[in-house]
Amino acid sequence: MTQITIALTKGRILKETLPLLKKIGLEPVDDVFTSRKLLFPTNQENIRILILRGSDVPTYVQFGKADIGIAGKDGLLEHQGDGYYEPLDLGIARCKLMTAAPVGYQPTDGKLRVATKYTKVAREYYAQQGRQIDLIKLYGAMELAPIMDLADEIVDIVDTGNTLKANGLEAREMITEISSRVIVNKASMKTKFPEIKDILSALEAAVSS
Ligand code: PRP
């Protein structure tokens, strides 16, 4: 029996992914939210699930340690890896990748200080705009950086906008719309085509129903 490994993104995306997997008849055998395990068997003998940080999902899929991954487009843009296809937009965990700054802040002509965990995306975006920046890499709580005068602007995910508002910031420019995508290891797509095709078709039907 061909074994299939699916890497899922923990957190917000997982909450929207599990109902989708349930719809296609796939369920982890343990409660992934309370268990400390990271590798889960499922109700289908040949399919197992890994629970990872979003930024690690493309890495596992790129190296073929997971055949299929579900990850936010933000993490995929930042990963910029090859070795996998991106055949399906699940349309879940929708949000926007935006620049944001303190309410009313007017950038001056000098170099802009930009704090973000999305350094590759930010570098490309500001370069396209012809704006010179100093990038400050952070791993979370980006909204704090302008408050503490560590940065002038941030690049981060905006969903409801509540986090920006609560920290005196406002969204400025949209870099791109984000949603969760299915990625598939290129070699697996060939060697495990029937199994992967079945999962992709079922997911496609589930998201469009
Ligand atoms: C994201 C993002 C913002 C927040 C935006 O963080 O970094 O802080 O959500 O959502 P909102 O517009 O609805 O307020 P998340 O909670 O996903 O945690 P993270 O810092 O681990 O990304």
Side-chain angles (χ1 to χ4, degrees):
M1 199 184 270
T2 306
Q3 288 296 315
I4 299 287
T5 304
I6 304 178
L8 302 183
T9 298
K10 67 177 172 190
R12 244 192 257 217
I13 296 179
L14 189 60
K15 290 204 180 84
E16 294 191 43
T17 306
L18 288 181
L20 209 52
L21 294 182
K22 198 172 177 183
K23 253 186 172 179
I24 69 165
L26 187 62
E27 285 181 82
V29 293
D30 286 307
D31 182 346
V32 297
F33 295 110
T34 53
S35 171
R36 300 296 298 166
K37 281 206 280 186
L38 301 168
L39 172 58
F40 296 89
T42 70
N43 59 335
Q44 297 190 28
E45 212 187 328
N46 66 324
I47 302 181
R48 59 185 182 164
I49 283 174
L50 311 178
I51 307 286
L52 303 172
R53 284 186 76 109
S55 46
D56 292 333
V57 169
T59 307
Y60 271 80
V61 176
Q62 178 176 357
F63 289 99
K65 302 307 161 193
D67 304 294
I68 295 174
I70 293 179
K73 183 66 180 174
D74 52 328
L76 297 177
L77 286 171
E78 190 61 23
H79 183 75
Q80 291 183 352
D82 49 14
Y84 55 82
Y85 301 111
E86 192 189 302
L88 187 60
D89 182 349
L90 293 175
I92 58 171
R94 284 181 189 274
C95 53
K96 296 182 171 77
L97 190 58
M98 303 198 70
T99 69
V103 174
Y105 169 77
Q106 293 297 331
T108 49
D109 283 343
K111 264 190 173 178
L112 205 59
R113 297 167 303 158
V114 177
T116 186
K117 65 177 171 189
Y118 302 103
T119 50
K120 287 182 191 162
V121 173
R123 192 173 285 119
E124 270 178 27
Y125 177 74
Y126 285 97
Q128 273 168 17
Q129 306 290 312
R131 282 149 79 187
Q132 289 222 313
I133 60 164
D134 281 325
L135 267 179
I136 298 151
K137 169 87 182 184
L138 290 177
Y139 292 87
M142 264 83 82
E143 294 85 358
L144 194 57
I147 296 175
M148 301 308 293
D149 193 31
L150 178 64
D152 304 306
E153 286 194 1
I154 62 169
V155 169
D156 197 10
I157 291 297
V158 180
D159 179 16
T160 61
N162 290 341
T163 312
L164 291 181
K165 204 171 168 195
N167 292 287
L169 305 181
E170 61 186 5
R172 291 288 169 95
E173 294 152 27
M174 184 166 82
I175 300 178
T176 185
E177 305 229 23
I178 301 296
S179 56
S180 297
R181 312 297 167 96
V182 178
I183 56 172
V184 177
N185 174 266
K186 283 186 175 172
S188 302
M189 190 69 116
K190 288 201 186 81
T191 57
K192 303 180 180 181
F193 184 73
E195 292 78 10
I196 287 174
K197 175 89 187 348
D198 281 352
I199 294 170
L200 288 178
S201 304
L203 280 173
E204 200 171 358
V207 293
S208 59
S209 69

